[in-house]
Amino acid sequence: MPASYKIAQAARLLGVSDDTVRRWVEHGTLPVTDASPAEIPGDALARRAVELAGADPDPTDVLSSARNRFTGLVTNVIADGVMAQVDIQAGPHRVVSLMSAEAVRALGLEVGSLAVAVVKATTVIVETPRG
């Protein structure tokens, strides 16, 4: 069964208000399933997340050190043979992971799935505004 999300969940994942998601539904920007209460199909939510990520940059012009856990939606899965590429859109952040195709199947990853990208690194880069 394909993933779908309640209005409040979709709003949190997209970083907008519940009312904004409801307006998008009313205007046909986001489709809904036949569920009651209405739910947004995961693949449509993933496409909207990618569209929003391409929007204008944050007008506050604040630079920050990123967190190491990115909750978002799977927007693309390319699996062939042994390896796979999984793209996750977490707010304005696109995270790409290379993993085994077996792991993709075991986790049930598909476009529209909810996923958390956990990043572990030995180097942390901290940035500050130019000035």
Side-chain angles (χ1 to χ4, degrees):
M1 174 176 242
S4 62
Y5 300 92
K6 295 184 185 315
I7 298 289
Q9 290 174 304
R12 278 194 307 277
L13 289 166
L14 295 176
V16 298
S17 71
D18 297 7
D19 288 337
T20 296
V21 173
R22 285 187 193 95
R23 278 192 298 277
W24 287 339
V25 168
E26 289 172 8
H27 293 124
T29 305
L30 279 175
V32 292
T33 66
D34 293 330
S36 181
E39 293 184 358
I40 311 297
D43 59 345
L45 196 60
R47 283 191 299 276
R48 187 66 179 149
V50 171
E51 290 169 8
L52 291 173
D56 293 335
D58 184 345
T60 62
D61 197 31
V62 176
L63 303 174
S64 65
S65 177
R67 304 283 193 272
N68 64 345
R69 294 178 60 84
F70 298 88
T71 302
L73 294 166
V74 174
T75 58
N76 194 27
V77 177
I78 302 170
D80 66 293
V82 176
M83 295 303 295
Q85 174 183 319
V86 177
D87 296 12
I88 298 172
Q89 192 69 46
H93 307 288
R94 177 177 171 242
V95 181
V96 179
S97 178
L98 301 177
M99 65 181 73
S100 69
E102 180 182 358
V104 168
R105 288 188 299 274
L107 293 170
L109 295 174
E110 61 184 29
V111 172
S113 296
L114 182 63
V116 178
V118 180
V119 180
K120 170 112 171 106
T122 57
T123 302
V124 176
I125 298 170
V126 178
E127 299 173 329
T128 59
R130 295 180 190 184

